[in-house]
Amino acid sequence: MAVTDLFAGEIAAELLKMLISISRESYTCKSSAEQMVTYIQQVLPIIQEIQYSGVELTELRQFQLDRFVHTLREGQELAKKVQACGRWNVYRKVQLARKMEKLEKNILRFLNGPLQAHILADVHHMRFESAERFDRLEFSSRRLEEQLGAMKIGVGGGGWLAEAVKRGGEEEESCEGLTSMGVGMALGKKKVKEMLIDRDDLRAVGIHGIGGSGKTTLAKEICRDGEVRSYFDDRILFLTVSQSPNVEQLRSYILEYVEGKDMINSHGPIRRWKSQFERRIGRTLVVLDDIWSDTVLEQLISRIPGCKTLVVSRFKFPTGLNLTYELELLREDEAISLFCHVAFGQKSIPLSANENLVKQVVRECKGLPLALKVIGASLRDRPQMFWASAASRLSQGEPICESHETKLLERMAVGIADLPKRVRECFLDLGAFPEDKKIPLDVLINIWVEIHDLFQEDAFAVLYELAEKNLLSLVNDARAGDIYSSYFEISASQHDVLRDLALYMSKGEVINDRRRLLMPRRETRLPKEWERNMDQPFNAQIVSIHTGEMRETDWFQMDLPKAEVLILNFSSSEYFLPPFIDRMPKLRALILINYSTSTAILNNVEVFSNLTNLRSLWFEKISIPQFAKTTIPMKSLKKIFLVLCKIANSLDQSVVDLPQMFPCLAELTMDHCDDLCELPSSICRMHLLECMSITNCHSLQELPADLGKLNSLQILRIYDCPSLKTLPPGLSELKFLKYLDISQCVGLECLPEGIGGLLRLEKIDMRKCSRIRNLPKSAASLQLLRHVICDEEVSWLWKDVETAVPGVHVEFARECFDLDWLVE
């Protein structure tokens, strides 16, 4: 046992005490501190078990534990700064809160990485030596790797695991604000806690209220409550059900969790590695958020003794629930406080504002948190005349109540109508994505670039404008926004009421004339309204379909002469591509996202022969077809994204000639393709390729020797490919390469000797490449190099380069996740 093991346990225990103190004393850092307390409480017993096991770890696994110790030490230092920060030093508190959030993400990313699979496998192996149980371990490890592979942020909604299970400790929904835990919300929390803890006779209870009233915020606050967590022994499962759920899959999650075979822990990323005889059925709370149907409710309520169900819904179900709490809307003082926080950045009405006008607008929001936030954001920094106009328009609607949700949408539409046209159109495009799913930013940005004629930089600016106006939420890595970063590092989500608003505003025209032809929720077949109108062409620019498995007979012909974007959301292991793709001559972006637990096989791939204008292709959780069946080269295709896909031999040179099939490809992304062992050498003949990203492909062992023939390549990301041992010498021949990312390739031992040949290299990211202990002498020839990111312990390697190359800046890895250092 290495000394590091002992230190890890001591550091984690000390950090845990400090975080608990912070969670009680510091409001700005409370959420992050509580999350990290949960993570460390779960991983600490495992570290202690390793400490006293007496088992010697392998070099790789010892290195991974060293990484965790380094992260915990950073946490200790940061926690000390938070505790020492003066009460009135608001600016410093905000800075530290940001850093706490980034530290939380660092710990979560580390726990989600290979560490838990390797170290927990060692512990399990030590404890169970019989062949039968070792076989069970191998099966569990494979399942865990598959689940971890699906947890990528920003990839297709984060994978089935991340999307099916919403943890009680996630970021608050957009309806939460400064006063979300005001008097009304605090009263609701007290009453629901009484139903859950003090009433053993209640098996299923509910929270209901209109959309945007803060139901989910209240439910998550209850899940974080110490008394509730103690009562249920931290066994709390939070599931988002939505309008189109996979009931069988959700039932399986609930049953496995309640019976102790839980696949995940809803308060953190650590799987409960317990043998069957160690498991026991105790008190368990299952939270079902966003239930729409009493039929679904009946199927999901668990009847196992000791299990309670909390149902969160817009509706009050007449049967199925023992008791329901109706969420009260905000009182006038709470509504004013929340509105002023959004509109003015303070808790009360400023002296410079027209108090009567502000109160008039607040009254028209009827205490609904989401309406207050959206309308407040739309009026921020606007002149008084604009406020008067908005108040007049708002006053024309009827009072908001459960039966008048349309009027809420009309009120909220006031704020959308005043957005700049391109921002408004981009907001309406969000209705094309399923509810309660994270939206891949690469998909969203590409759509906006293609149909709104925006540059990528402008599309990115629109994204942040929508976020600032509370019209979507961003979950992003701190590197997002860097000139070389991938949009993979960001994902977006949208409150279901805001999605309803986008759908509502997109329905203003006759169906055949709508700009967006959208399915609001998953259905077994295409909407009957579409079928009734199929005798006339549909003039939609965006078409979004959301179904389960589709066979050839499930489709009917549709004429879509103006469609430029087709989004196919589905959940099945087999999918027949729609025949009417033949009737989409202007199609420029095709997105296929599979939300099932297994990769899908595509049928009718022959339709790709007709996609002569296609520029962007996104496959998620798909078994890649053999493109050789598409006999006509796709000469317009510029971007291909393969996410969580099975590659098999579909890209081999013996199967398809990639340069001939995709002669103009400029960007290739392959993420979490776990069966990718090597790149086909034919990729090196794709001379127009400018960006190649091979990320989280843990089986990748080598890159093509002729990589240097990619004479247009400017960005190369080989991120988190731990099986990769060397980089080909030909990499040094990439004369136009500006950015090289080899971070978290823990198996790499050296850089190519001729790396100085990268004459235009401006930035290199080599975080977590601790096996690289020497730099080639030619590195001193990188005269345009300006930015190096590496771990602190290997930063000394770059001292000679810093001397030889004026202007180069070496950045330590720990700062890579802090927004403060981003200046590009």
Side-chain angles (χ1 to χ4, degrees):
M1 179 184 66
V3 177
T4 307
D5 305 345
L6 182 62
F7 286 158
E10 293 176 346
I11 294 170
E14 183 62 26
L15 177 58
L16 181 60
K17 294 177 184 177
M18 298 170 72
L19 290 173
I20 291 174
S21 174
I22 291 171
S23 68
R24 293 171 178 168
E25 300 172 1
S26 175
Y27 177 80
T28 54
C29 299
K30 178 181 176 65
S31 177
S32 296
E34 287 180 341
Q35 278 287 21
M36 285 187 281
V37 166
T38 303
Y39 298 158
I40 293 174
Q41 282 176 334
Q42 291 168 348
V43 79
L44 186 55
I46 298 169
I47 295 176
Q48 291 170 340
E49 186 168 6
I50 296 172
Q51 286 179 256
Y52 303 110
S53 65
V55 176
E56 188 70 25
L57 298 179
T58 65
E59 180 182 354
L60 176 60
R61 295 177 188 178
Q62 183 62 51
F63 163 70
Q64 291 171 334
L65 191 58
D66 289 342
R67 290 167 58 186
F68 187 47
V69 174
H70 184 68
T71 302
L72 293 180
R73 284 199 179 109
E74 292 178 353
Q76 273 189 311
E77 294 301 315
L78 182 56
K80 290 177 182 177
K81 293 178 182 179
V82 172
Q83 290 179 319
C85 184
R87 181 178 179 183
W88 304 110
N89 193 345
V90 179
Y91 178 76
R92 178 63 171 164
K93 281 182 176 289
V94 171
Q95 279 191 321
L96 292 173
R98 282 186 176 181
K99 292 183 178 181
M100 287 284 285
E101 291 174 1
K102 300 307 171 286
L103 176 63
E104 174 195 340
K105 291 180 181 178
N106 272 352
I107 292 177
L108 180 58
R109 180 178 294 128
F110 181 81
L111 297 177
N112 279 345
L115 173 73
Q116 59 177 307
H118 288 310
I119 293 181
L120 294 178
D122 274 343
V123 174
H124 205 278
H125 179 56
M126 178 189 69
R127 296 174 61 190
F128 305 108
E129 298 179 349
S130 70
E132 178 183 356
R133 286 173 179 170
F134 187 73
D135 289 341
R136 185 186 306 161
L137 168 65
E138 291 182 318
F139 172 76
S140 298
S141 297
R142 287 195 297 270
R143 288 281 299 276
L144 178 60
E145 288 172 3
E146 292 171 2
Q147 293 165 23
L148 292 175
M151 285 184 181
K152 178 81 168 66
I153 290 180
V155 181
W160 69 268
L161 181 65
E163 289 305 330
V165 184
K166 305 292 186 180
R167 296 167 178 80
E170 284 182 342
E171 283 189 75
E172 296 303 317
E173 289 195 60
S174 57
C175 61
E176 183 187 18
L178 182 69
T179 61
S180 63
M181 286 305 293
V183 175
M185 192 73 80
L187 177 63
K189 179 180 177 181
K190 179 176 180 292
K191 290 183 175 294
V192 176
K193 278 179 60 177
E194 290 173 355
M195 289 189 268
L196 293 173
I197 296 177
D198 299 336
R199 296 286 302 274
D200 292 335
D201 58 317
L202 302 180
R203 179 172 53 85
V205 299
I207 301 172
H208 85 274
I210 66 174
S213 59
K215 304 180 298 297
T216 301
T217 298
L218 175 57
K220 289 183 176 181
E221 189 64 30
I222 289 169
C223 289
R224 282 194 297 270
D225 183 83
E227 288 184 64
V228 174
R229 289 172 59 183
S230 176
Y231 181 82
F232 289 103
D233 193 26
D234 275 338
R235 292 185 53 78
I236 301 177
L237 178 65
F238 197 105
L239 293 174
T240 299
V241 181
S242 76
Q243 289 179 302
S244 51
N246 186 328
V247 177
E248 289 303 318
Q249 195 175 72
L250 292 174
R251 287 181 65 184
S252 175
Y253 297 157
I254 294 170
L255 183 61
E256 291 196 2
Y257 192 89
V258 173
E259 290 185 347
K261 304 172 187 175
D262 42 313
M263 298 157 60
I264 51 96
N265 174 358
S266 64
H267 282 289
I270 301 298
R271 180 171 176 167
R272 299 174 186 266
W273 289 71
K274 297 183 179 179
S275 61
Q276 186 64 38
F277 62 81
E278 288 180 303
R279 295 186 178 112
R280 61 181 179 84
I281 300 177
R283 290 176 180 154
T284 305
L285 175 62
V286 176
V287 183
L288 302 176
D289 183 37
D290 200 18
I291 288 273
W292 284 73
S293 164
D294 52 1
T295 304
V296 172
L297 175 62
E298 178 64 24
Q299 295 181 74
L300 294 182
I301 288 182
S302 174
R303 292 168 176 77
I304 299 176
C307 178
K308 283 195 175 185
T309 305
L310 175 60
V311 176
V312 183
S313 176
R314 299 187 188 187
F315 314 107
K316 184 176 182 179
F317 295 106
T319 60
L321 301 179
N322 302 121
L323 199 58
T324 300
Y325 174 74
E326 181 175 0
L327 187 61
E328 300 176 5
L329 298 178
L330 297 181
R331 302 185 317 179
E332 182 179 7
D333 58 335
E334 296 171 339
I336 290 175
S337 183
L338 173 57
F339 182 85
C340 290
H341 172 65
V342 176
F344 305 115
Q346 60 185 62
K347 294 182 180 181
S348 58
I349 301 174
L351 296 176
S352 58
N354 185 321
E355 181 176 356
N356 292 331
L357 194 57
V358 171
K359 289 184 176 181
Q360 182 182 351
V361 172
V362 170
R363 282 195 298 270
E364 292 300 331
C365 295
K366 306 300 179 183
L368 189 68
L370 186 60
L372 288 161
K373 291 192 72 176
V374 171
I375 293 174
S378 70
L379 294 176
R380 185 190 303 129
D381 299 325
R382 298 283 191 167
Q384 184 171 320
M385 192 65 71
F386 190 93
W387 279 66
S389 173
S392 175
R393 281 178 286 166
L394 285 170
S395 65
Q396 296 175 15
E398 298 176 15
I400 302 174
C401 66
E402 191 170 355
S403 61
H404 289 95
E405 208 159 317
T406 299
K407 294 303 179 183
L408 163 63
L409 297 177
E410 290 177 356
R411 279 174 162 76
M412 294 175 64
V414 171
I416 305 301
D418 291 313
L419 292 173
K421 182 178 179 181
R422 69 176 185 179
V423 178
R424 181 173 67 250
E425 291 298 316
C426 289
F427 167 77
L428 297 180
D429 293 339
L430 295 173
F433 297 92
E435 61 177 353
D436 298 317
K437 304 292 184 186
K438 288 189 174 70
I439 304 171
L441 258 295
D442 270 307
V443 170
L444 194 55
I445 294 292
N446 280 331
I447 289 176
W448 290 347
V449 167
E450 295 294 344
I451 68 176
H452 298 306
D453 299 324
L454 299 175
F455 293 109
Q456 282 201 1
E457 296 82 359
D458 297 329
F460 197 77
V462 169
L463 176 77
Y464 270 85
E465 184 170 354
L466 289 172
E468 288 175 356
K469 294 185 180 299
N470 296 314
L471 296 174
L472 59 76
S473 299
L474 294 179
V475 181
N476 61 287
D477 186 288
R479 291 168 294 170
D482 183 279
I483 193 171
Y484 293 125
S485 69
S486 167
Y487 296 122
F488 258 29
E489 292 151 0
I490 319 174
S491 62
S493 60
Q494 189 176 41
H495 191 282
D496 53 0
V497 174
L498 288 171
R499 181 174 182 267
D500 290 345
L501 176 60
L503 293 171
Y504 170 78
M505 296 183 68
S506 296
K507 290 182 178 179
E509 301 166 325
V510 177
I511 186 169
N512 292 81
D513 294 331
R514 290 176 188 168
R515 187 173 184 181
R516 300 166 185 84
L517 191 62
L518 313 176
M519 288 179 63
R521 61 191 62 86
R522 189 178 73 173
E523 300 181 26
T524 56
R525 52 173 294 168
L526 298 183
K528 292 183 178 179
E529 186 182 17
W530 295 12
E531 189 171 5
R532 283 195 298 268
N533 292 273
M534 69 179 186
D535 56 331
Q536 297 292 326
F538 292 89
N539 294 320
Q541 193 176 16
I542 298 178
V543 180
S544 177
I545 295 172
H546 193 189
T547 64
E549 180 180 352
M550 292 294 281
R551 299 177 295 272
E552 183 175 8
T553 55
D554 295 326
W555 299 104
F556 50 78
Q557 275 295 358
M558 299 172 64
D559 192 8
L560 296 153
K562 296 183 179 180
E564 297 182 36
V565 175
L566 175 61
I567 305 174
L568 299 173
N569 301 291
F570 63 95
S571 180
S572 69
S573 59
E574 197 163 350
Y575 191 79
F576 192 93
L577 293 171
F580 53 72
I581 289 182
D582 288 345
R583 301 191 179 190
M584 305 174 80
K586 294 186 177 181
L587 190 64
R588 304 174 74 179
L590 176 61
I591 298 103
L592 280 81
I593 301 180
N594 173 23
Y595 293 107
S596 74
T597 59
S598 59
T599 54
I601 297 173
L602 297 182
N603 296 315
N604 195 30
V605 296
E606 291 79 8
V607 294
F608 284 106
S609 298
N610 302 306
L611 302 180
T612 55
N613 290 315
L614 193 69
R615 294 170 57 88
S616 176
L617 180 64
W618 178 285
F619 278 172
E620 183 166 337
K621 208 172 289 186
I622 304 290
S623 290
I624 303 303
Q626 294 185 2
F627 285 103
K629 292 182 179 180
T630 58
T631 55
I632 301 176
M634 303 174 73
K635 295 183 178 180
S636 298
L637 194 64
K638 301 289 186 182
K639 300 180 180 181
I640 294 179
F641 302 90
L642 307 178
V643 181
L644 291 165
C645 290
K646 295 295 183 185
I647 305 297
N649 66 339
S650 56
L651 301 183
D652 290 356
Q653 190 165 348
S654 60
V655 176
V656 58
D657 188 338
L658 292 176
Q660 181 182 1
M661 185 59 60
F662 312 114
C664 297
L665 194 69
E667 184 172 346
L668 174 63
T669 294
M670 302 172 73
D671 181 74
H672 278 102
C673 298
D674 57 12
D675 65 341
L676 180 67
C677 295
E678 59 179 329
L679 294 179
S681 59
S682 60
I683 282 182
C684 301
R685 292 188 285 112
M686 306 181 80
H687 298 303
L688 297 182
L689 196 64
E690 297 178 356
C691 175
M692 183 164 68
S693 296
I694 313 297
T695 57
N696 301 290
C697 295
H698 293 177
S699 299
L700 182 67
Q701 297 179 5
E702 60 178 329
L703 300 176
D706 293 335
L707 197 67
K709 293 182 178 180
L710 292 172
N711 47 30
S712 296
L713 198 66
Q714 298 181 35
I715 295 176
L716 177 61
R717 300 187 189 93
I718 310 294
Y719 170 82
D720 195 11
C721 297
S723 298
L724 188 65
K725 303 299 182 184
T726 61
L727 297 173
L731 181 141
S732 304
E733 300 172 14
L734 298 173
K735 303 300 183 184
F736 289 91
L737 192 70
K738 295 182 178 180
Y739 175 55
L740 175 63
D741 183 358
I742 54 173
S743 56
Q744 298 204 42
C745 290
V746 295
L748 280 179
E749 298 181 351
C750 62
L751 296 175
E753 285 298 325
I755 194 171
L758 300 177
L759 301 179
R760 287 182 169 82
L761 189 67
E762 298 176 359
K763 182 175 179 179
I764 181 170
D765 189 339
M766 51 180 289
R767 291 168 292 122
K768 312 307 176 186
C769 293
S770 60
R771 291 193 175 188
I772 298 178
R773 290 296 179 179
N774 293 288
L775 281 186
K777 293 182 179 180
S778 66
S781 301
L782 298 172
Q783 292 300 308
L784 294 184
L785 187 65
R786 291 296 177 266
H787 198 175
V788 176
I789 303 175
C790 63
D791 295 325
E792 185 173 5
E793 58 266 28
V794 299
S795 61
W796 59 272
L797 295 175
W798 292 93
K799 293 298 182 183
D800 291 342
V801 177
E802 286 184 285
T803 302
V805 181
V808 68
H809 177 52
V810 178
E811 198 80 45
F812 295 158
R814 66 172 181 265
E815 298 183 9
C816 180
F817 299 99
D818 189 341
L819 280 173
D820 294 342
W821 69 269
L822 285 173
V823 294
E824 295 182 78

